[in-house]
Amino acid sequence: MTTVNERPQHLPAEERRAATVEAVVQLAAERNPADITTMAIAERMGLTQGALFRHFPTKDAILEAAMSWVAERLLARVDKAAEDAASPAAALEAMFMAHIDFVASHPGVPRMLFGELQRPGRTLAKKMVQTLIRQYGERLRRLLEAGKSRGELHSGVDVDAAIVLFIGTIQGLVMQSLLAGKVGQIRRAAPGVFAIYLRGIGARP
């Protein structure tokens, strides 16, 4: 597998921007995202800071591109998983597992998201994370409502609470895996945890 700093030095602008985001995601898996400097990003890519700034005027612009990359790929992955499912409950499970797999494949992503949400002020990158969570919740709402209308889920289930619990369950798994320093283990814990979630919202076997 080719690493970022093994890429050719002369790349089209769009490929260079993508490679920069990839470098940030890799670095976030290794260190506190708040400590990632433009110098570290440039070194990972085998570039000078001057070359990096030809594509991104500021560090915040790099973070914004990284947040956009995360949102696009995560939503695309869960959408693909859900559309191939046979029922709303199956779609919820497919989304859950696709999200878990995304995190396990990109361990720097949750560190970036958590770090961005903790930053003071209303940065554009933080707004992008908040938008991602809102769009994710809208997808869950559609599936939960569909499950209720089909009688697949308990008719009295609180959809808002179910959305919070779905997202919070993933966040809890991610946080525990980060604390343990073994993000890959999240895949093993996910099926059993999701089964409990399904029982909680009244899914029929």
Side-chain angles (χ1 to χ4, degrees):
M1 177 177 166
T2 302
T3 61
V4 173
N5 56 9
E6 290 174 338
R7 293 180 185 275
Q9 294 299 300
H10 302 289
L11 293 174
E14 200 58 37
E15 288 186 35
R16 177 64 69 201
R17 289 173 64 86
T20 304
V21 170
E22 185 179 340
V24 172
V25 173
Q26 288 180 3
L27 287 167
E30 302 166 7
R31 65 186 74 172
N32 183 345
D35 296 335
I36 297 174
T37 63
T38 52
M39 176 65 78
I41 297 169
E43 288 178 351
R44 176 59 61 98
M45 299 176 69
L47 300 175
T48 64
Q49 284 193 84
L52 182 62
F53 284 131
R54 282 200 291 272
H55 300 282
F56 294 95
T58 64
K59 181 181 176 181
D60 278 346
I62 297 173
L63 292 175
E64 289 157 16
M67 292 303 107
S68 178
W69 182 92
V70 170
E72 290 175 5
R73 280 157 181 76
L74 176 58
L75 291 177
R77 186 171 294 199
V78 298
D79 283 346
K80 175 62 177 175
E83 73 181 22
D84 292 336
S87 68
L92 287 169
E93 181 173 10
M95 282 182 64
F96 191 94
M97 298 308 169
H99 192 150
I100 292 296
D101 186 68
F102 182 81
V103 170
S105 300
H106 305 287
V109 166
R111 295 168 62 90
M112 289 168 53
L113 294 178
F114 289 142
E116 196 57 41
L117 289 173
Q118 292 177 62
R119 289 180 68 189
R122 292 180 57 79
T123 66
L124 178 56
K126 180 185 286 188
K127 292 177 184 176
M128 294 169 74
V129 175
Q130 293 167 340
T131 298
L132 167 61
I133 294 172
R134 185 177 67 253
Q135 293 174 338
Y136 198 106
E138 290 168 355
R139 286 160 167 78
L140 294 173
R141 182 177 301 279
R142 287 194 293 270
L143 289 174
L144 289 162
E145 294 290 3
K148 288 174 65 175
S149 66
R150 295 186 188 185
E152 189 177 14
L153 305 180
H154 192 283
S155 61
V157 67
D158 184 330
V159 170
D160 289 331
I163 291 170
V164 171
L165 183 59
F166 186 102
I167 296 173
T169 299
I170 293 175
Q171 291 172 336
L173 283 169
V174 170
M175 185 62 70
Q176 290 183 54
S177 70
L178 289 174
L179 288 171
K182 299 176 181 178
V183 177
Q185 290 187 354
I186 196 172
R187 288 190 177 104
R188 290 199 291 274
V193 170
F194 185 77
I196 295 173
Y197 172 80
L198 272 186
R199 287 198 293 273
I201 60 176
R204 297 180 177 178

